[in-house]
Amino acid sequence: MKSYKIALLPGDGIGPEVAVEAVKAVEAAGSRHGFQTEWVRYPFGAAHYNKAGEILPDSALAEMGLCDAMMLGAVGDPSVKPGILERGILLKLRFRFDQYINLRPARSYESVPCPIPLPKGVRIDSVVVRENTEDFYMGIGTTREAPSSNSEGSANPEGGVDVPFEAERGLYNLSGRLTAKFDPDCAAALQIGAITRPGVQRVTRYAFDLAKKRGEKEVVLASKANAVPFLYGFLDEETKRAAAAYPDIALKIQNVDALCYHLARNPARHGVILCPNLFGDIVSDLLSALTGGLGLGAGGNIGDGLSMFEPVHGSAPDIAGTGKANPLAAILCAAMMLDHIGESAGAKSIDEAVASYLNESDEPARPIELGGAASCRTVGDAVAQKIG
Ligand code: NAD
Ligand code: IPM
Ligand code: MN
């Protein structure tokens, strides 16, 4: 029997609650389709950090790299300063394994009402292809308190900052120093983004290949060259250049503000939506909401090495421990993961089980997020049972 080694990082808040249900779905698919899963579980997240002071050690990264795939619930907790766990765990994993695609499909279900009513027979079937390693996410920057303290770089009473930076990617390395001079009494923050030709090329190819596979004639690029010309002007030009290899598929460049406007008025208007990192984060939450809720938004961080599957949503501390979390996003991530490791029949069983669960359940049997009364575990059990 085939066996897969899967790294599992449940994380914080509702992360562990939804991860359990995703594991159930994988196990059910394994029993039905004849494969086994060995879960390698990691404790990283707020509780571990608060207890042991450890965020994500290199030894764990090395071990994870030997797994066939990874599943992550969510990280981030009000007891820890924002960014420590998110950057220290989630972004570290994305960058370390050069997971350059964040693939976030958004599909609506017939039986789940969308906040913007769709015309009869129209369904949302979009996919955000988010560049996942560049843009303002690179972490290059500093904060300067007045007059002289500085958390990351060096500051001096004359107002200067001087911060070294380094980014290692599979395709290239970037390093240098960020230097600037502020008025001595001016507290300020400085952060830069980077977008590179190889970075744009690989995500553009991925988006256009996907559009081709989906039989679509257009890819929309979320941009903002009118206000941020260096970064997104370059993005537009480089995307056009890379898209020239696909003469049958049009590239439509749209400012991200207008894109959000149009999506809110007509959620089903696009197929593949190509986004730089920051806009992709925002647009994917919007699309999840338009399909019915964040608890339906699945995603995968895809690279040439270890790929990691995690819902679009976060740790939702406002509902953690209440049973209100909708685990369907995590369960749909399990399907994406199985597809990725080559168990496409198992993936299909999970996708179909979710669809039939949603379409066949009367309202009270649906997840609380979708207006029903079913707890996280009840939803997970119902889907696992349908998988067979
Ligand atoms: P969030 O996605 O956690 O929550 C936003 C809203 O959606 C909340 O009201 C929440 O209750 C609701 N929600 C989210 N997922 C849900 C689900 N499955 N079922 C029902 N309702 C759901 O975003 P936030 O509040 O901005 O972030 C909370 C924490 O999560 C922060 O620490 C943030 O940094 C972190 N975060 C982590 C990830 C990740 O690990 N992948 C992603 C996003 C946010
Ligand atoms: C996401 C999250 C992360 C992101 C945060 C937690 C760093 O919002 O996965 O969408 O911005 O990518
Ligand atoms: Mn997000």
Side-chain angles (χ1 to χ4, degrees), residues 1 6 35 83 95 104 106 129 131 145 165 199 213 227 229-230 238 286 290-291 307 318 332 349 351 382:
M1 192 187 275
I6 310 293
F35 64 85
F95 296 164
R104 293 180 152 181
V129 175
E131 200 293 322
E145 304 291 345
F165 63 82
K213 214 165 105 189
F230 297 113
E238 291 302 318
L286 172 61
L290 292 170
T291 61
S307 292
D318 53 340
L332 292 167
S349 294
D351 281 336

Side-chain angles (χ1 to χ4, degrees), residues 75-76 83 85-87 90-91 94 102 104 130 132 137 277-278 280-282 284-285 301 310-314:
V75 295
L85 301 170
E86 293 87 340
R87 290 201 66 84
L90 186 63
L91 299 192
R94 288 177 184 167
N102 191 188
R104 293 180 152 181
R130 171 189 182 192
N132 214 23
Y137 273 62
N277 212 338
L278 182 59
D281 178 46
I282 298 163
S284 51
D285 267 41
N301 301 281
E310 41 135 4
V312 170
H313 65 73

Side-chain angles (χ1 to χ4, degrees), residues 27-80:
E27 296 288 334
S31 313
R32 175 160 167 197
H33 296 281
F35 64 85
Q36 271 179 345
T37 317
E38 181 196 337
W39 299 94
V40 188
R41 213 186 149 86
Y42 293 95
F44 307 116
H48 183 79
Y49 175 70
N50 289 331
K51 197 172 74 191
E54 182 178 61
I55 303 176
L56 174 60
D58 283 344
S59 56
L61 286 165
E63 247 179 50
M64 289 164 177
L66 301 175
C67 291
D68 294 297
M70 178 159 179
M71 292 212 55
L72 184 141
V75 295
D77 186 81
S79 68
V80 181

